[in-house]
């Protein structure tokens, strides 16, 4: 396994601009998760995919956020009309579906740090 | 609202001593529990998972789960300065979503 990769690692943008992040999961991992983490807090769940299907989306996720995983491999997370409150570390994780949620183990990528000026 | 609570610390432990980290959770139906380590500016790294009541050992790390009391703990034996990090507790209920604590900052003093 080469690990979960994310691109870019850092992004600085101005308020109102759109940004897009990419995540490549561990090969053969069919589940992919997006989280957001701010300083001093644990990761906050945003959404997850099983293959190309988006199965759950946090109520905290506003309409400005959208995620895709078109071919069941890499995923993108787009934030439209960024706000200063969007500044955070955006984390991607992946796991292999073993048929039972209880044993699902998530492995994280290095994250994308977003700064909105 | 499902919650996971951790003492934010910092918890200061002398090198070579045992570090004890605790986590409580509100959802009695939670089925699986995870400890992640996070260095400053880095992403969480899985240390251990535990699913059944009792202890689970992996090297210097021991996870302890008590479902009746709704707490899970992590013991680090022979603490090293490289163990200094924030330790995150994550809990899963019926689905795949993890609920996270805010983490405990651990400092190992040489």
């Amino acid at each position: 396994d080469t690990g979960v990769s994310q691109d870019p690692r850092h992004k600085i943008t101005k308020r109102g601009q759109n940004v897009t992040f990419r995540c490549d999961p561990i090969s053969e991992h069919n589940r992919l998760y997006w989280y957001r983490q701010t300083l001093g807090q644990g990761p906050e769940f945003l959404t997850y995919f099983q293959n190309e299907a988006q199965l759950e989306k946090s109520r905290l996720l506003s309409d400005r956020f959208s995620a895709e995983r078109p071919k069941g491999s890499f995923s993108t997370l787009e934030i439209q009309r960024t706000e200063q409150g969007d500044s955070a570390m955006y984390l991607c994780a992946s796991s292999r579906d073993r048929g039972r949620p209880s044993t699902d183990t998530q492995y994280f990528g290095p994250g994308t740090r977003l700064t909105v000026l | 609202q499902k919650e996971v609570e951790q003492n934010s610390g910092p918890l200061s432990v002398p090198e070579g001593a045992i570090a004890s980290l605790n986590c409580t959770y509100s959802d009695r139906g939670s089925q699986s529990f995870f400890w992640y380590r996070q260095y400053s500016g880095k992403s969480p790294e899985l240390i251990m998972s535990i699913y059944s009541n009792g202890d689970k050992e992996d090297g210097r790390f021991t996870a302890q789960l008590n479902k009746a009391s709704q707490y899970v703990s992590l013991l680090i034996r022979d603490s090293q300065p490289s163990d200094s990090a924030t330790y995150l507790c994550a809990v899963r209920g019926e689905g795949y979503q993890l609920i996270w604590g805010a983490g405990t900052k651990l400092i190992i003093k040489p």
Side-chain angles (χ1 to χ4, degrees):
Chain A
D1 289 339
T2 57
V4 180
S5 61
Q6 292 186 245
D7 183 71
R9 298 289 302 276
H10 303 274
K11 179 69 176 179
I12 300 175
T13 191
K14 293 182 179 179
R15 188 179 55 184
Q17 297 295 305
N18 298 344
V19 295
T20 300
F21 309 142
R22 175 178 170 129
C23 171
D24 288 86
I26 294 171
S27 59
E28 298 181 357
H29 278 196
N30 60 338
R31 288 189 175 272
L32 187 148
Y33 304 78
W34 284 101
Y35 293 90
R36 177 174 64 187
Q37 187 178 26
T38 54
L39 195 63
Q41 300 298 315
E44 175 186 29
F45 171 79
L46 295 178
T47 188
Y48 86 87
F49 294 83
Q50 179 168 323
N51 301 313
E52 66 275 8
Q54 187 174 19
L55 296 186
E56 191 169 345
K57 186 176 177 180
S58 169
R59 291 190 299 272
L60 300 174
L61 212 60
S62 74
D63 291 341
R64 296 185 298 106
F65 289 72
S66 63
E68 294 183 341
R69 195 182 183 198
K71 297 183 179 180
S73 56
F74 73 92
S75 175
T76 58
L77 176 68
E78 181 183 17
I79 309 174
Q80 297 181 329
R81 304 182 303 282
T82 54
E83 303 172 354
Q84 288 185 327
D86 296 332
S87 294
M89 174 79 88
Y90 289 83
L91 296 164
C92 176
S94 71
S95 67
R96 180 182 300 177
D97 186 2
R98 298 184 184 276
R100 290 193 303 158
S102 61
T103 58
D104 185 79
T105 301
Q106 299 176 23
Y107 298 91
F108 283 81
T112 294
R113 182 166 297 283
L114 173 66
T115 302
V116 181
L117 302 176
Chain B
Q1 178 76 6
K2 299 176 183 178
E3 294 182 340
V4 175
E5 299 287 341
Q6 294 181 257
N7 188 319
S8 62
L11 175 65
S12 184
V13 174
E15 183 176 359
I18 296 175
S20 178
L21 304 162
N22 299 310
C23 169
T24 59
Y25 58 94
S26 62
D27 183 7
R28 190 169 286 277
S30 298
Q31 299 180 8
S32 46
F33 309 85
F34 303 85
W35 283 100
Y36 285 79
R37 176 175 63 197
Q38 187 171 30
Y39 294 111
S40 180
K42 303 297 185 181
S43 62
E45 172 191 10
L46 179 69
I47 298 176
M48 292 187 70
S49 59
I50 186 167
Y51 310 118
S52 304
N53 276 332
D55 295 359
K56 179 181 177 182
E57 186 174 321
D58 184 359
R60 296 188 296 113
F61 299 95
T62 299
Q64 299 175 319
L65 175 61
N66 185 321
K67 288 186 177 181
S69 299
Q70 294 177 238
Y71 82 80
V72 56
S73 62
L74 179 69
L75 301 178
I76 307 174
R77 291 182 299 280
D78 188 23
S79 297
Q80 303 297 310
S82 60
D83 294 326
S84 297
T86 295
Y87 288 80
L88 297 164
C89 173
V91 175
R92 174 180 290 119
E94 295 181 352
Y96 285 86
Q97 182 180 151
L98 288 177
I99 308 300
W100 295 78
T104 298
K105 184 175 183 178
L106 176 65
I107 298 173
I108 306 300
K109 290 189 172 181

